[in-house]
Amino acid sequence: EARFSTTERASGAQLYLFSSHRKRSNLEKNALLLVCFASVRLGASIAIIESSMDIMRKRKADDCEFEVGRNSEGCDDLNRMTRAATRRKARNWSFCAVLLLFWAVLGDFPVKANQQYERERVLVIGCGPAGIFFGHALESRRRELASKGDLAGLASLPVAACLDRASGPGGVWRSERVFGDNEEGTGQENTQMYEALWTNGPKEGIEFFDYTYDEHFSRPLPVYMPRASMLEYMVARVTKHNPTFFHDYAEFNTLVQSVRYNKDTRKFHIQIKNLETKVVQTREYDKCIWAAGDNGKPKMPKQIVQSLEGFHGSMFHSTKTITFAEDVKDKRVLIVGGSFSAEDIALMACKVGVKQVYIASRKEYSTVNAHGAWPGNKVQVLVQRVPIAVSEDGKSIKLALVERDIISDQDVNNPEDIIEIKNIDTVILCTGYEKQLDMLDPLLQEPLGDKYKRPLVVPDNWKMRLNGLSSKFGDVPTGNVTWLDTYVEEPDIYNGVLISNPNMMYLRHGQEDYVLLAIDVLAWFLMNVVTGFTDLPSAEEMKHRNTEQALEEMQNVCTRYHMDSNYRRAFAKWPGDDVWSSYDDALTDAFHYDIRILAQKMKIANYPVDLGDILQLNANGKALVFFQNESYRHKTSLDPKNETTLPWKTYRDYEDGAKFYSIFTGTKAVSLKRRWIDIDDSNPQHLKEIVSSSRLSSAIKAYDVDPKGGFSSVPSQ
């Protein structure tokens, strides 16, 4: 405009009109750029930006048309200057448009893990419930900041990439799972027992505050739910506000081969392999969250496997039940192990028509031992028994008695007390799982070592408070004390954060009964840590808090029994059995302590649910304790003498569903409409009686979820 003002041939009217037009054009351009900027920062769709760009292009065309018309009077010098200005303006518009679109794609829109950006990069290993819940917590924080118009907060949020070797999300909740049992760790996708898995505990303890059962299922539900329905519920929760959640956040069929931390750069160096293209990449991340789960690979105890050498029947781990019905129907089956997977397998065997099931349970008190009866009296629990040999014919298995050495708190086989079960057709190893840590550097694996062998340093002035055994034992000095049986995750880990390197985190559950709820709480805490909303204490303070919690838990008679060798000696020396009643009372209190610990973690994490605190539970916290106790009673109250119910009744065939209710909506549970043993999980009509099939059907279509628990197709990156 200054140059034009010195041009004698430009009239005052032309100059005024040109200047006004330029100012209006610039104002419109700046306003449109601001609209696009705000739209992108607030997560608006590309359509809004494209509309703004169309207006910008039209504005540029109007500018050109105006200048051509203005110069039609034939001012050659002015025309040349005007054309030059128009070309500069066109280049500026194009440059702005390119910059805006480039920033829109690589800036605040959800990005893939291999893109470069300035914000902190967070690697999440595993897209089971833990990985899913962390992504959901981060997405919740993003929506919160967007609703407040906090652009600075949005700009500072880290970008997380969740990598999983499976073809879809869900982890152990999928009917098809991947285990790292070959050189590449790719494993094989196998149809699992989880094809027909139901929850073992009350669903009321795994309902989410931001997405209730009423919102998803729109009807009252039974206390125990099918696996497929619960997976749908978890998927629907995280995709409610972001239908492309998994496409934006996760990379499937991606194996994390190695994770190393560079102290100099303070970066994690990651090597990954795409299992479809076989391409290997190296990436860098600022933070790493191991969320691969404690059930990463089947646990095959060497001693058990060796003892079964020579068996002529079918033998497999509970995770590889591809031909379950064929291996079980009308067969005599031995199940090794006594926890939840053994319970599930035994009940499923009864459902498909097993002839007889024997469960060799190493522990005196285990999940399967709690059952008062089993359907058709087809299940016999062999308490404190483990296999030690196979007979010469290869069909009979010898079991030894397992005795617990009180002083060492270790199991010892008694070779003089042997029983033999004959004509076994199938052996199923329900021997649990191991953590999949192979991808982590040894220094990053070490904190997840065996805490049961880690010594706990007890202060000299520590004293046990008065309890039911104080009058008998007196003041028992501490002996060799370990972290065994405490709710402290690991001595070197504070609420999922590695104390020596807070950039490394472990998102896993502890001993909590309500596992999914506990994982969601910890995911919320770690989200607050990585986003800077929670400041971590110093390393010394984190260690101190872990120690203080363990010492407080040792005040419980049952807990100290497992932690302290001297306290076990006091039990061993006492002549009568009356001390064990105090142990049982303490065990009940320890169960309640589980919920109090969870309530305390909610406070620390600023989790949007209140159960009370570690000293006193509120009504919601007490309700969760009540539900767990009632669920346990469902198993113990089964009557083996009731000939009417014995052929079919399981703990899922309860009659007191109204005792269970949602702590968020108050909706009461209902009983099953047909006997559990008669329910066919593959029959849509049967599932419709439990949950709304139309609701599930729409969820499957909207989220591209396979009804069997896997994702039928994951959108390409």
Side-chain angles (χ1 to χ4, degrees):
E1 289 181 77
R3 288 196 301 273
F4 281 116
S5 65
T6 61
T7 305
E8 297 177 354
R9 280 169 287 217
S11 66
Q14 288 176 327
L15 179 60
Y16 176 79
L17 184 60
F18 177 72
S19 176
S20 299
H21 185 83
R22 285 285 299 274
K23 290 178 181 178
R24 180 166 61 86
S25 176
N26 287 337
L27 284 172
E28 290 179 351
K29 178 180 71 175
N30 292 336
L32 288 168
L33 283 172
L34 183 60
V35 169
C36 292
F37 176 83
S39 299
V40 174
R41 296 302 290 263
L42 295 178
S45 65
I46 287 290
I48 295 178
I49 298 171
E50 289 179 342
S51 299
S52 300
M53 293 301 300
D54 288 339
I55 299 175
M56 292 166 66
R57 286 190 290 268
K58 184 177 185 300
R59 183 71 269 162
K60 183 186 73 173
D62 291 344
D63 289 347
C64 296
E65 183 180 348
F66 172 82
E67 293 182 12
V68 171
R70 188 185 64 79
N71 289 304
S72 60
E73 298 179 4
C75 302
D76 294 338
D77 291 351
L78 184 59
N79 285 343
R80 285 194 298 273
M81 298 180 69
T82 301
R83 285 194 295 272
T86 302
R87 285 194 298 271
R88 285 195 301 272
K89 184 182 296 184
R91 287 196 300 269
N92 290 340
W93 278 105
S94 300
F95 182 67
C96 289
V98 170
L99 281 181
L100 179 64
L101 290 177
F102 184 82
W103 181 79
V105 174
L106 298 183
D108 272 311
F109 281 115
V111 297
K112 283 297 167 188
N114 60 345
Q115 293 173 336
Q116 300 297 322
Y117 39 80
E118 295 182 357
R119 294 179 296 171
E120 279 197 328
R121 306 178 68 184
V122 179
L123 168 68
V124 182
I125 303 175
C127 200
I132 293 172
F133 293 170
F134 176 81
H136 177 69
L138 188 60
E139 189 70 19
S140 298
R141 178 54 46 82
R142 187 184 303 278
R143 291 198 309 273
E144 176 190 349
L145 295 174
S147 67
K148 296 178 180 179
D150 187 350
L151 301 182
L154 285 169
S156 67
L157 285 181
V159 177
C162 185
L163 309 185
D164 199 298
R165 60 190 171 187
S167 60
V172 298
W173 291 83
R174 290 167 54 83
S175 63
E176 293 184 345
R177 301 174 56 198
V178 179
F179 292 103
D181 50 11
N182 60 24
E183 292 182 356
E184 293 185 340
T186 57
Q188 177 184 359
E189 293 211 354
N190 300 317
T191 302
Q192 308 302 315
M193 68 173 180
Y194 298 100
E195 175 72 20
L197 175 70
W198 284 51
T199 57
N200 302 91
K203 72 178 188 313
E204 284 70 19
I206 50 177
E207 184 176 16
F208 301 114
F209 68 94
D210 54 354
Y211 192 64
T212 64
Y213 291 136
D214 283 359
E215 183 175 0
H216 182 69
F217 295 104
S218 303
R219 63 182 293 177
L221 302 169
V223 174
Y224 309 100
M225 293 285 291
R227 172 208 54 79
S229 302
M230 292 306 300
L231 178 58
E232 294 290 349
Y233 172 62
M234 285 187 278
V235 169
R237 178 206 187 193
V238 301
T239 53
K240 173 185 175 183
H241 295 288
N242 182 6
T244 60
F245 175 87
F246 292 109
H247 180 264
D248 300 336
Y249 170 64
E251 290 184 48
F252 298 112
N253 298 304
T254 303
L255 174 68
V256 179
Q257 294 182 317
S258 66
V259 178
R260 294 182 299 104
Y261 184 71
N262 188 315
K263 292 183 179 180
D264 296 329
T265 62
R266 296 184 179 182
K267 301 280 187 181
F268 288 93
H269 295 270
I270 315 297
Q271 181 173 298
I272 65 171
K273 181 176 182 179
N274 186 304
L275 299 179
E276 293 180 318
T277 65
K278 309 303 180 183
V279 174
V280 176
Q281 296 181 16
T282 300
R283 301 177 182 173
E284 282 190 349
Y285 291 90
D286 301 285
K287 290 177 169 47
C288 176
I289 300 177
W290 180 85
D294 285 21
N295 302 331
K297 55 184 179 181
K299 183 178 181 179
M300 305 283 284
K302 185 177 180 180
Q303 185 176 357
I304 297 294
V305 174
Q306 289 178 345
S307 70
L308 293 170
E309 289 181 356
F311 177 65
H312 292 173
S314 175
M315 184 173 72
F316 50 86
H317 192 272
S318 60
T319 58
K320 298 183 178 181
T321 53
I322 299 177
T323 57
F324 182 76
E326 177 183 336
D327 292 323
V328 169
K329 184 177 175 60
D330 297 324
K331 303 289 180 64
R332 289 169 57 83
V333 176
L334 170 65
I335 295 175
V336 180
S339 195
F340 291 113
S341 58
E343 178 185 73
D344 289 326
I345 287 289
L347 288 173
M348 282 304 303
C350 293
K351 180 177 281 193
V352 301
V354 71
K355 186 175 183 179
Q356 181 67 42
V357 175
Y358 298 95
I359 302 179
S361 175
R362 177 175 57 85
K363 296 181 179 179
E364 182 178 2
Y365 301 101
S366 65
T367 302
V368 294
N369 297 348
H371 284 250
W374 297 82
N377 203 23
K378 291 184 176 182
V379 179
Q380 181 180 352
V381 179
L382 306 173
V383 180
Q384 293 181 264
R385 295 284 175 177
V386 293
I388 59 169
V390 176
S391 63
E392 293 182 0
D393 63 2
K395 299 294 289 182
S396 300
I397 298 174
K398 297 178 181 180
L399 306 172
L401 177 68
V402 179
E403 297 177 336
R404 193 74 171 179
D405 180 71
I406 294 181
I407 305 302
S408 66
D409 202 27
Q410 298 294 318
D411 292 333
V412 180
N413 293 350
N414 183 349
E416 296 182 359
D417 192 335
I418 306 294
I419 63 173
E420 185 175 359
I421 51 175
K422 299 181 180 297
N423 301 320
I424 297 299
D425 302 294
T426 301
V427 174
I428 305 176
L429 300 178
C430 296
T431 45
Y433 307 87
E434 295 177 327
K435 294 182 283 290
Q436 178 57 271
L437 301 171
D438 297 344
M439 76 288 290
L440 299 181
D441 183 271
L443 292 177
L444 301 177
Q445 294 185 33
E446 186 177 336
L448 290 179
D450 192 351
K451 74 174 183 179
Y452 309 129
K453 299 177 182 178
R454 296 282 298 276
L456 172 65
V457 179
V458 181
D460 294 336
N461 61 352
W462 184 87
K463 298 291 182 182
M464 194 168 192
R465 293 190 290 266
L466 293 177
N467 56 65
L469 295 179
S470 297
S471 60
K472 296 181 175 65
F473 292 169
D475 186 11
V476 180
T478 58
N480 296 325
V481 180
T482 69
W483 294 76
L484 174 64
D485 220 38
T486 67
Y487 286 98
V488 177
E489 182 180 351
E490 296 290 345
D492 297 326
I493 298 174
Y494 172 76
N495 286 331
V497 178
L498 181 59
I499 296 176
S500 61
N501 178 9
N503 290 321
M504 182 68 198
M505 306 174 198
Y506 305 88
L507 182 45
R508 56 189 289 261
H509 65 84
Q511 300 186 70
E512 299 87 357
D513 285 327
Y514 295 114
V515 172
L516 289 181
L517 180 57
I519 292 176
D520 200 47
V521 172
L522 185 56
W524 198 269
F525 175 78
L526 296 184
M527 178 274 295
N528 282 328
V529 171
V530 301
T531 56
F533 282 76
T534 293
D535 294 327
L536 289 172
S538 66
E540 288 302 317
E541 178 61 21
M542 287 190 279
K543 292 180 181 179
H544 175 72
R545 292 185 184 183
N546 279 353
T547 300
E548 286 298 304
Q549 180 181 323
L551 293 175
E552 177 59 31
E553 292 185 46
M554 201 166 70
Q555 293 288 351
N556 180 279
V557 169
C558 171
T559 305
R560 186 181 177 187
Y561 173 88
H562 294 286
M563 294 176 66
D564 185 2
S565 61
N566 274 4
Y567 209 60
R568 292 193 295 273
R569 286 190 178 93
F571 272 82
K573 292 178 180 178
W574 191 257
D577 293 335
D578 54 327
V579 294
W580 294 104
S581 61
S582 296
Y583 177 94
D584 292 339
D585 293 340
L587 184 62
T588 301
D589 183 65
F591 288 153
H592 297 177
Y593 193 74
D594 167 23
I595 305 299
R596 299 209 302 272
I597 286 287
L598 184 59
Q600 183 70 10
K601 288 183 177 180
M602 287 179 173
K603 298 288 187 185
I604 297 173
N606 291 316
Y607 191 73
V609 175
D610 185 10
L611 299 181
D613 56 39
I614 198 167
L615 298 177
Q616 181 65 44
L617 296 175
N618 61 19
N620 287 338
K622 292 177 181 178
L624 293 185
V625 172
F626 173 78
F627 300 152
Q628 197 66 26
N629 291 341
E630 288 299 300
S631 175
Y632 183 75
R633 191 184 59 78
H634 285 168
K635 299 178 182 180
T636 59
S637 63
L638 292 169
D639 186 3
K641 297 181 180 180
N642 189 329
E643 297 181 358
T644 302
T645 61
L646 182 61
W648 56 268
K649 192 167 186 179
T650 71
Y651 71 92
R652 296 183 177 118
D653 297 294
Y654 55 86
E655 299 173 355
D656 58 353
K659 290 183 178 180
F660 298 78
Y661 60 88
S662 167
I663 64 173
F664 302 112
T665 65
T667 301
K668 295 181 178 180
V670 295
S671 300
L672 295 173
K673 293 186 177 181
R674 67 175 69 217
R675 299 170 179 176
W676 179 84
I677 204 168
D678 296 329
I679 295 177
D680 181 357
D681 293 79
S682 63
N683 188 324
Q685 182 60 36
H686 289 193
L687 288 180
K688 185 177 180 180
E689 297 173 357
I690 304 170
V691 296
S692 173
S693 61
S694 60
R695 184 72 176 91
L696 283 178
S697 177
S698 62
I700 291 171
K701 293 178 181 178
Y703 313 134
D704 204 23
V705 181
D706 189 314
K708 293 185 178 181
F711 268 49
S712 58
S713 62
V714 180
S716 64
Q717 297 178 21

